[in-house]
Amino acid sequence: MATASGNSSNTLSVNELATDVLDSYKVQFPVIGNFAYDFSSDSARRGQTITARVLSGVASASDYDASNGYEGATTDVGTLTNDLDITLDQHKYVSISMDYLDMISTQRDLYGEVASTMANTLGKGLMEAVWNGLVADNFSKSVVKDGTTAGQEHNLDMLHAVRAEMNTNGTAVAGRYGIVNSSVMTQLLTDTRIASGDFYGQLSGANGIGILRNIAGFEAIYEYPAGDANGENLVGFFGDRSAINIASRVPSDFQAQASRANAPAIASNSIVQDADTGLPMMALSYQKAGTFDIVATLTHIYGLRFGKGGSGGSAGDLTDLGGVRLVTA
């Protein structure tokens, strides 16, 4: 990260700010990396539909024979995937303004200080949309554990019950994850079998948000403190990579639009993508005339697709069996 020099506190370019936000985004909301995603720096508009493809079948094995060689039986690749139409119905942004006088009078790195806050704002919006989609209209399978009655606790036994349900449903065995509210995570962390070094040895550590890793068949289980009941007594969700699908694009390049109209651009823009996932964001910036204050904006467009795709889908459709809801009744 750049450091302050002289009387200038504007030590980061907007591109560097966007990169810092993406890095912070992954740290604060790591579960996003467990979803299936179609990320691109291509431009799009809100309401546009993106067709993504997810793995939905397996190829069959055959016996080799001298007459047909390896062509006796083949599996059409089209039968191994599903097309998922994802509507880009979310266009979110976060903007900050930096007072010119503050910038020239402080040694503080104003850009760097707000990167985590900007990431939190964008990430909270995305995670709220994810949680709101974890309903019976999208996922037909559930495990009921009230969390208080004997035999119904949210503990290691519960995780094994969810694992067994997913195995029965044919959920992919690799890449499984969980998202649970704070009450469930607290009960999991206080299960002595999970915390004890004789078993999993998982402690909450210094981070206030709980994460369990490599436990009961799940690569990771993440705490989501803002998880409400969604009107369906929802307290958690467990899935494979196909269960939740996200497509993300960036808005149209306004500089290109201005150029086509032979008009001067009044701001600068650039696109920054996360190196690991490809998640794109557009960074915009301009300086106000007269005050010289700087305004920086980060924005992206995205859409989500869940399980069987709503009340019009039937049990087992699309990626319905890729997820199981945890409910209390």
Side-chain angles (χ1 to χ4, degrees):
M1 173 158 313
T3 56
S5 175
N7 288 325
S8 174
S9 62
N10 182 18
T11 60
L12 287 178
S13 69
V14 176
N15 271 15
E16 290 173 317
L17 173 62
T19 301
D20 282 352
V21 169
L22 286 173
D23 288 342
S24 182
Y25 200 90
K26 290 189 296 183
V27 171
Q28 295 184 56
F29 304 96
V31 68
I32 294 171
N34 291 87
F35 306 153
Y37 45 79
D38 183 335
F39 294 158
S40 170
S41 61
D42 292 343
S43 62
R45 64 184 185 279
R46 183 175 179 178
Q48 185 173 332
T49 297
I50 301 296
T51 300
R53 297 182 70 84
V54 295
L55 189 65
S56 59
V58 294
S60 58
S62 303
D63 291 323
Y64 178 87
D65 67 77
S67 298
N68 296 311
Y70 295 113
E71 297 183 2
T74 60
T75 303
D76 186 344
V77 70
T79 66
L80 303 180
T81 58
N82 268 327
D83 284 345
L84 291 181
D85 290 335
I86 304 175
T87 301
L88 303 176
D89 57 358
Q90 303 291 321
H91 186 174
K92 302 293 186 180
Y93 76 93
V94 58
S95 292
I96 59 170
S97 61
M98 288 159 285
D99 184 272
Y100 174 70
L101 293 179
D102 285 344
M103 291 171 61
I104 63 175
S105 63
T106 180
Q107 295 292 321
R108 292 167 53 198
D109 180 3
L110 297 181
Y111 264 7
E113 290 176 9
V114 301
S116 63
T117 300
M118 297 176 79
N120 184 265
T121 299
L122 291 173
K124 283 175 64 177
L126 175 57
M127 283 305 302
E128 181 180 2
V130 168
W131 187 262
N132 288 340
L134 305 178
V135 293
D137 274 350
N138 288 322
F139 296 99
S140 62
K141 302 297 183 179
S142 63
V143 168
V144 180
K145 297 284 184 180
D146 64 29
T148 58
T149 306
Q152 298 288 312
E153 298 90 351
H154 297 143
N155 55 19
L156 184 61
D157 295 331
M158 177 272 288
L159 294 182
H160 283 303
V162 174
R163 176 192 58 79
E165 175 68 22
M166 296 175 78
N167 288 345
T168 299
N169 298 339
T171 307
V173 297
R176 292 182 181 181
Y177 62 91
I179 313 170
V180 299
N181 68 14
S182 292
S183 175
V184 174
M185 180 57 75
T186 298
Q187 292 181 60
L188 289 171
L189 287 171
T190 54
D191 184 334
T192 55
R193 294 169 297 174
I194 292 176
S196 171
D198 293 332
F199 291 87
Y200 288 99
Q202 306 235 11
L203 302 175
S204 56
N207 193 320
I209 304 301
I211 302 177
L212 301 176
R213 298 191 184 279
N214 301 318
I215 183 170
F218 298 95
E219 290 187 358
I221 299 173
Y222 304 90
E223 179 181 357
Y224 178 53
D228 59 15
N230 273 356
E232 300 186 357
N233 298 316
L234 180 74
V235 293
F237 176 82
F238 298 83
D240 65 18
R241 186 170 292 276
S242 73
I244 301 171
N245 293 266
I246 177 172
S248 183
R249 299 292 188 271
V250 293
S252 298
D253 185 344
F254 67 85
Q255 291 200 62
Q257 303 288 349
S259 178
R260 280 194 288 270
N262 198 29
I266 62 172
S268 65
N269 73 286
S270 57
I271 297 171
V272 176
Q273 288 183 270
D274 174 56
D276 296 325
T277 65
L279 176 67
M281 286 189 185
M282 177 175 281
L284 314 171
S285 63
Y286 64 91
Q287 192 168 35
K288 294 181 179 179
T291 64
F292 304 117
D293 295 348
I294 292 177
V295 175
T297 298
L298 296 180
T299 182
H300 64 159
I301 298 173
Y302 65 87
L304 294 160
R305 181 68 181 261
F306 303 89
K308 60 189 180 69
S311 58
S314 300
D317 284 354
L318 300 175
T319 63
D320 175 36
L321 301 182
V324 172
R325 295 176 302 115
L326 177 66
V327 297
T328 57

